[in-house]
Amino acid sequence: MKKLALHWQILLGMLVGVLFALLMIQFDWGPKFVTDWIKPFGNIFINALKLIAVPLILASLIKGVSDLKDISKLSKMGGRTIGTYIITTVIAVSIGLTVVNVIKPGKTIKEETRNELMDSYSGDASSKIADAEKQKEAGPLQALEDLVPSNIFNAANDNGNMLQVIFFAIFFGIGLILIPEETAKPVKAFFDGFNEVILKLIDLIMLAAPYGVFALLAALVVEAPSADLFKALGMYGITVLLGLGLMIGVYILIVWVFTKKTPKFFLNGISPAQLLAFSTSSSAATLPVTMERVEEHLGVEEEVTSFVLPIGATINMDGTSLYQAVAAVFIAQAFGMNLDIATQLGIIATATLASIGSAAVPGAGMVMLVIVLAQAGIPEAGLALIFAVDRPLDMCRTTVNVTGDAAVSMLVAKSVDKLGEPHVRDWDDIYKNKPKEQ
């Protein structure tokens, strides 16, 4: 296993996990065995990644901002980052609307299947609708108000408060720039060392990645809904996957055109993060690995990755936005509704804004989809139609989210002349380079 590249190890772990689960479901005791004795190891792996997400953002972002030594550089990089993220999100939603209007997957759902889905998942839909109602009742500036934490320790207590942690880290970094360099030096030295420790912890956690994804995929297979429901929603799933595939093609093209890096270079560099995103369905959990791959394997300098990627994991949800566009039109088609151009343009705007507010955790896109449906006048109860296949599609759209973060970081790095050659570090490189005792 150690001789295989990391992405091949993870792929092998995923494949063995699926095959093991398929074997286990042949026995009456099999699914319970996987749930009780295999799934916990997958959860431990995800928890280990989530454990270092907030420390990583604090350490890397404070270090990255303070290293700029000039607030004008921060505003320049920030403007380009957010502007590029918004453009790619609009492209993603537009691709989603185009694909769903051409294929028309909602027309293939029979009334009997629709009623079965509504009965099976009405409870899940109701809980998401209730969560969305709370967000809709908030004032127009609620998002801005929520950006500033009243207590950084409370904010760091929940990975869903990632934007608040990012705000504090940037604010703290600006403070370090503005005080005398001699005074800031020990603080910067602490965060430099803290950042190195976190990066080393990521290397150690990734040694367990093949086994973690084995457990996650095995649990997913044994807990999947019936095959009949998947068949009924096959066209919808194919439509979403086609749109997501086209969006990855857009990223590859953008990187190729603007940075002159080949598709093979880009995909080889980011593939372990993509596979991990697929397994965990969480951009936040994958963030530590994304940062390591983009910096060490794609050649983006640390001051760019430490700024662009944490923000991207929170506000750049291209895969989620594309899925929301497809899902909204699919549900409308299933109910026999025809959406005019104005309504679909509204979906583009709402899905773009909703993706910024969507948490980087599994299932968060469902809550934001309720807001998109309400804006377009589509029955929110139709959410029940897509719950059966949401988890596997969530895995795929998270992969696109992470790929988009990596692509944008390369573009921003190129624009500020911070894109160089890869510099790969191994988990035990400090021992390899240590001189032998005489």
Side-chain angles (χ1 to χ4, degrees), residues 69-146:
K69 297 188 174 76
D70 187 351
I71 293 179
S72 64
K73 288 183 181 178
L74 177 64
S75 61
K76 180 181 178 182
M77 192 186 299
R80 292 181 182 184
T81 300
I82 294 171
T84 308
Y85 279 144
I86 290 173
I87 291 169
T88 58
T89 302
V90 171
I91 292 172
V93 179
S94 302
I95 288 175
L97 287 176
T98 302
V99 172
V100 75
N101 279 293
V102 170
I103 297 177
K104 293 184 170 57
K107 303 292 185 183
T108 62
I109 285 208
K110 297 175 182 176
E111 187 174 351
E112 182 183 343
T113 306
R114 182 196 309 155
N115 293 336
E116 184 184 349
L117 287 165
M118 294 287 283
D119 290 340
S120 299
Y121 296 96
S122 57
D124 292 330
S126 298
S127 66
K128 298 298 182 183
I129 292 169
D131 291 341
E133 282 299 321
K134 293 178 184 176
Q135 295 199 25
K136 283 158 66 177
E137 289 172 4
L141 296 180
Q142 187 64 46
L144 187 62
E145 186 180 337
D146 291 342

Side-chain angles (χ1 to χ4, degrees), residues 205-256:
I205 291 171
M206 287 310 293
L207 294 176
Y211 310 100
V213 298
F214 161 81
L216 290 168
L217 265 292
L220 178 70
V221 171
V222 300
E223 294 173 355
S226 69
D228 290 338
L229 289 180
F230 277 126
K231 289 176 185 175
L233 295 171
M235 286 303 293
Y236 164 69
I238 289 170
T239 304
V240 174
L241 292 176
L242 178 59
L244 295 175
L246 289 172
M247 194 62 209
I248 288 183
V250 169
Y251 294 139
I252 292 171
L253 184 62
I254 288 174
V255 169
W256 197 5

Side-chain angles (χ1 to χ4, degrees), residues 14-27 29-30 33-34 38 214-215 218-219 221-222:
M14 293 167 68
L15 177 62
V16 175
V18 171
L19 294 175
F20 178 76
L22 291 174
L23 175 64
M24 286 293 100
I25 59 179
Q26 305 304 315
F27 306 98
W29 52 268
F33 174 81
V34 172
I38 304 297
F214 161 81
V221 171
V222 300

